[in-house]
Amino acid sequence: MRDQDGERDGTREDGRNDTPHEQEPSPDPEPRHDPEPHRDHAPRHDPEPHRDHAPRHDREPQRDEAPRHDHGPRHDREPRRGRPRSAAAERAILDAVIALLEAGEPLAGLSIERIARTAGVGKATIYRRWSGKEELFVDVVRDMEPVDPPLSGTEGLADLRILLESLRTRGLAQRSSALLHNIFAQMKSHPKLWDEYFGTVIAPRRAAMLAAVRRAVAAGELRDDLDVELIDDLFVGPVLVRTVHRPEAPLPDDLVDRLMTALLQGLAPRRV
């Protein structure tokens, strides 16, 4: 049986399903003593017959191995492994999780079997893309959030402003989506899931912010006598307070510009 990805699902001939610890299902559904018996015994129209009669070291093709250019009709051959992922299958899986959450299913109650059935794919299709539920759920949350903006990688304050604005818009997205707000609340009660989200989403964003601060310091845009992490906290802190700790606080369009102006000019009274 095949799913919409064109891949075999996790159902075996004996009625059992593959588990996440099993290898990717073999393309040939028949019991296999010789991994590829049909190649040696089926009629061949291959213009290079010596390939079948030479000693073989039966093995599965490597993912990065170039395909063989057999010219005969090969209707008995399954699609090769290592082909590009199906965007349609991945979209169906992400949408299935979102649909189940919208229907009121808690994160803890979702199983890979339920997600696969809702998406119309096999469990193996999911496990080829995500190692487990935590990794899948992180991608679901990332998919629901605004896309991370591109940075110059060379500017300091300009990139810092872009990152702060991204933080503000994610706060707005969480406020406007009851589902996203609910997911974050559930994630924080599941340490393994929150650790996965922190390590793959929050930590890289913080690293990008620190790098932008260092570029600004090196360019003379910020003081060089202060700890870089302290400077980063001074910029990020006010936005986080409004997006996380004060959900009722306004997040106006000019918030980041006003914040940066106040910090760069200083908070001490101006002296005439």
Side-chain angles (χ1 to χ4, degrees):
M1 178 177 178
R2 300 177 184 279
D3 54 42
Q4 70 175 51
D5 193 16
E7 298 170 334
R8 302 192 63 80
D9 64 16
T11 305
R12 295 166 46 145
E13 287 294 309
D14 58 5
R16 291 181 294 155
N17 288 330
D18 289 331
T19 67
H21 303 292
E22 292 180 341
Q23 296 295 322
E24 185 175 0
S26 169
D28 189 343
E30 306 244 342
R32 303 278 298 270
H33 300 290
D34 177 352
E36 299 181 271
H38 64 279
R39 293 194 176 182
D40 287 337
H41 303 294
R44 296 293 301 263
H45 302 285
D46 193 331
E48 297 179 328
H50 62 275
R51 292 189 179 180
D52 284 339
H53 301 293
R56 295 181 58 92
H57 302 284
D58 291 311
R59 58 180 179 84
E60 293 293 337
Q62 298 300 315
R63 290 183 180 272
D64 58 352
E65 184 179 6
R68 286 181 54 186
H69 300 288
D70 289 341
H71 302 289
R74 302 306 298 267
H75 302 293
D76 59 338
R77 178 180 292 179
E78 291 288 341
R80 291 181 59 83
R81 296 185 189 178
R83 61 194 177 284
R85 291 179 174 184
S86 166
E90 291 190 9
R91 183 71 263 163
I93 294 165
L94 295 175
D95 287 345
V97 177
I98 293 173
L100 290 169
L101 292 172
E102 287 177 336
E105 292 286 345
L107 283 174
L110 290 182
S111 66
I112 294 296
E113 290 83 357
R114 178 82 181 277
I115 295 168
R117 188 164 59 249
T118 303
V121 302
K123 289 193 301 178
T125 299
I126 297 179
Y127 283 122
R128 270 191 286 272
R129 289 154 175 79
W130 295 278
S131 62
K133 290 198 301 183
E134 289 77 16
E135 187 178 326
L136 170 57
F137 291 160
V138 166
D139 273 0
V140 170
V141 176
R142 197 200 311 266
D143 182 68
M144 296 177 67
E145 292 182 336
V147 178
D148 288 339
L151 303 176
S152 71
T154 57
E155 300 292 328
L157 284 181
D159 282 352
L160 182 58
R161 187 198 178 285
I162 291 173
L163 289 165
L164 290 173
E165 179 62 16
S166 178
L167 182 60
R168 184 188 74 88
T169 55
R170 285 198 300 275
L172 285 173
Q174 187 172 342
R175 288 183 182 184
S176 64
S177 171
L179 176 60
L180 190 56
H181 179 80
N182 184 40
I183 289 175
F184 270 102
Q186 293 187 60
M187 284 172 62
K188 291 177 181 178
S189 64
H190 294 82
K192 186 176 180 180
L193 178 54
W194 182 252
D195 287 346
E196 181 73 22
Y197 181 78
F198 184 89
T200 60
V201 179
I202 296 179
R205 288 172 180 167
R206 175 170 168 76
M209 191 82 70
L210 286 168
V213 171
R214 291 189 181 96
R215 290 196 294 273
V217 170
E221 297 173 317
L222 295 174
R223 291 169 53 175
D224 61 1
D225 61 334
L226 293 177
D227 179 69
V228 170
E229 293 202 359
L230 175 60
I231 297 176
D232 178 69
D233 290 344
L234 289 172
F235 280 104
V236 176
V239 184
L240 281 179
V241 166
R242 292 200 178 200
T243 57
V244 178
H245 301 293
R246 293 180 56 205
E248 79 289 348
L251 292 170
D253 292 344
D254 65 344
L255 175 63
V256 171
D257 287 330
R258 290 194 291 118
L259 169 63
M260 294 187 70
T261 298
L263 287 174
L264 292 173
Q265 291 181 350
L267 297 178
R270 294 182 178 178
R271 300 184 183 279
V272 179

